[in-house]
Amino acid sequence: MSFNLNTLLRPNIKTLTPYSSARDEFHGEAKVYLDANENSIGSPLLKWYNRYPDPYQQKIKEKLSAIKGVAPKQIFIGNGSDECIDLLYRAFCSPGKDNVIICPPTYGMYEVSANINDVELRKAPLLENFQLDLVHMETLVDANTKLIWICSPNNPTGNSINREDIEMILNNFDGIVVVDEAYINFARQRSCISLLSEYPNLVVMQTLSKAWGLAGLRLGMSFASEEIISIYNKIKPPYNISEAVQELVIKALDNVEDVNAMIQELVSERKRLEEALTAIPVVEKIYPSDANFLLVKVADAKAIYTWLLSNEIVVRDRSKVILCEGCLRITVGTAKENDELLTALQKFIV
Ligand SMILES: *Cc1c(COP(=O)(O)O)cnc(C)c1O
């Protein structure tokens, strides 16, 4: 492998002079702040929000550092993982020239973000067992391949991707390997964060939207080398995480034990739901899940989807998606919600 971050970067990003905010140019404490054109009087109702937030979210990063075992300088925080995804395209992929590889069926934003950025998408579908098709992937790589997207546990299939396969790619691909671990807290498999010290071409993405129960706050994380994190910082919107969100997240991150209990509860509900679904006649197959959802093959996906809707229960119809023919994706809810789902499914008449 001959990984070189400088040659991977888009030329305009390499030479970019980043925006320099008032908070970049003055660090420290002062008595009077007249440098950022803020309103010193403040909003009558929400006075304390009159100042711009910390552009680098240092307090959040310190807490995340302790939780994840990664140095603050190896953490980037985005307005949801979706911002992290978009920034990787902008940093590394020249529109109309470079390409990336995805492995469908997988998370939709890798493709949408490629299309928004006018970046060619190459697809190596997963194998029947939902693992990577390494042979196919290798044939797709050329000198302009900048990113390989791996989602583990994968959405919508729910399985973790074999770690040896991920390492095989990390060892042989000269571009950036992104491992999206949105569901890692529900998985039996360890996070790839532990591989960061070995692989300069690895980016691990996580989020507060799933296990932490904070989808409404919009907070995504990327863990990578200091060099890659500094590129993220160079191109991100200056104040991408609001003060309100930073305050709430700092509070939420103090609650690791409660979050772990919640994860345990969802994992045991996943098991209960899986077992109960097995006994329902219209259910043909339940795929093993390392996430907070189940991919379920049913007798008639469209009819069952519509039936559930008429019972005011919404699931995701994935029956038109490659390798997911006839499948619904069902999020594990509260015990009560899961019971309602099971009752409705039991009442379905073919
Ligand atoms: C839900 C999900 C995310 C989370 O995205 P946010 O923008 O952080 O809410 C990321 N990746 C995958 C694969 C997901 O399913």
Side-chain angles (χ1 to χ4, degrees):
M1 194 184 75
S2 57
F3 175 75
N4 183 332
L5 196 58
N6 255 323
T7 56
L8 269 187
L9 274 181
R10 270 175 71 175
N12 63 309
I13 300 301
K14 197 165 23 181
T15 57
L16 177 78
T17 307
Y19 179 72
S20 180
S21 72
R23 291 292 173 272
D24 282 317
E25 290 177 14
F26 174 80
H27 303 274
E29 297 288 318
K31 195 162 65 174
V32 180
Y33 289 97
L34 301 175
D35 60 343
N37 293 351
E38 295 152 338
N39 180 329
S40 293
I41 299 168
S43 156
L45 278 178
L46 299 166
K47 259 196 171 12
W48 55 96
Y49 288 120
N50 65 330
R51 301 296 176 184
Y52 281 106
D54 174 2
Y56 301 108
Q57 308 95 23
Q58 293 305 346
K59 285 198 184 121
I60 298 179
K61 286 178 185 171
E62 276 159 32
K63 300 216 165 191
L64 282 175
S65 170
I67 295 167
K68 304 287 178 185
V70 181
K73 283 189 170 163
Q74 289 187 264
I75 304 174
F76 173 76
I77 295 176
N79 184 357
S81 307
D82 296 334
E83 183 175 46
C84 299
I85 294 169
D86 180 64
L87 289 174
L88 287 173
Y89 279 105
R90 297 208 220 176
F92 294 106
C93 302
S94 291
K97 176 169 175 258
D98 291 329
N99 66 76
V100 306
I101 295 174
I102 66 165
C103 304
T106 194
Y107 186 47
M109 277 311 289
Y110 314 141
E111 175 156 7
V112 173
S113 208
N115 291 337
I116 291 169
N117 287 288
D118 190 19
V119 170
E120 184 198 342
L121 196 73
R122 298 186 174 182
K123 296 183 182 179
L126 296 174
L127 300 166
E128 288 284 330
N129 63 0
F130 296 150
Q131 291 299 325
L132 300 176
D133 185 345
L134 293 174
V135 176
H136 189 179
M137 289 174 84
E138 189 177 6
T139 65
L140 297 182
V141 173
D142 66 17
N144 292 319
T145 307
K146 297 298 181 75
L147 309 172
I148 294 181
W149 295 94
I150 297 171
C151 188
S152 180
N154 186 43
N155 177 5
T157 58
N159 61 295
S160 291
I161 300 299
N162 292 333
R163 190 140 160 143
E164 313 83 76
D165 292 357
I166 295 175
E167 287 206 60
M168 172 77 89
I169 296 171
L170 282 164
N171 277 316
N172 291 288
F173 177 54
D174 290 336
I176 304 279
V177 181
V178 190
V179 182
D180 183 348
E181 295 187 336
Y183 300 97
I184 192 68
N185 298 99
F186 304 108
R188 283 150 271 233
Q189 187 156 313
R190 285 173 301 138
S191 165
C192 283
I193 281 179
S194 59
L195 299 175
L196 283 174
S197 56
E198 274 172 80
Y199 297 103
N201 56 340
L202 172 63
V203 174
V204 178
M205 294 200 320
Q206 294 186 4
T207 177
L208 297 190
S209 297
K210 308 288 156 65
W212 287 82
L214 297 171
L217 292 189
R218 311 306 303 128
L219 195 121
M221 305 159 256
S222 287
F223 305 98
S225 69
E226 275 187 42
E227 291 74 21
I228 293 176
I229 298 302
S230 67
I231 293 159
Y232 264 120
N233 285 332
K234 190 173 169 186
I235 67 176
K236 82 187 183 79
Y239 303 107
N240 59 328
I241 308 294
S242 76
E243 179 65 22
V245 166
Q246 292 197 41
E247 285 170 7
L248 291 167
V249 166
I250 288 164
K251 265 194 213 149
L253 290 177
D254 277 337
N255 243 340
V256 182
E257 271 131 61
D258 292 342
V259 171
N260 281 335
M262 176 167 68
I263 293 166
Q264 285 314 308
E265 186 179 331
L266 287 169
V267 167
S268 71
E269 272 302 303
R270 177 179 77 198
K271 184 156 179 280
R272 184 179 75 92
L273 189 59
E274 193 178 341
E275 284 164 5
L277 284 169
T278 315
I280 294 178
V282 291
V283 171
E284 293 180 353
K285 180 165 185 175
I286 304 157
Y287 292 90
S289 173
D290 256 354
N292 66 336
F293 59 83
L294 293 169
L295 186 70
V296 182
K297 188 161 194 211
V298 290
D300 184 343
K302 195 154 185 290
I304 292 171
Y305 175 82
T306 310
W307 166 253
L308 288 174
L309 263 193
S310 70
N311 284 270
E312 297 185 89
I313 298 171
V314 201
V315 298
R316 199 84 189 263
D317 182 0
R318 300 278 80 182
S319 58
K320 300 282 175 292
V321 171
I322 179 174
L323 294 178
C324 298
E325 291 79 11
C327 290
L328 302 174
R329 193 195 69 189
I330 304 176
T331 307
V332 178
T334 62
K336 183 162 170 286
E337 290 173 333
N338 300 333
D339 285 338
E340 286 178 27
L341 170 86
L342 290 165
T343 306
L345 281 176
Q346 270 146 0
K347 283 196 204 135
F348 180 81
I349 316 285
V350 187

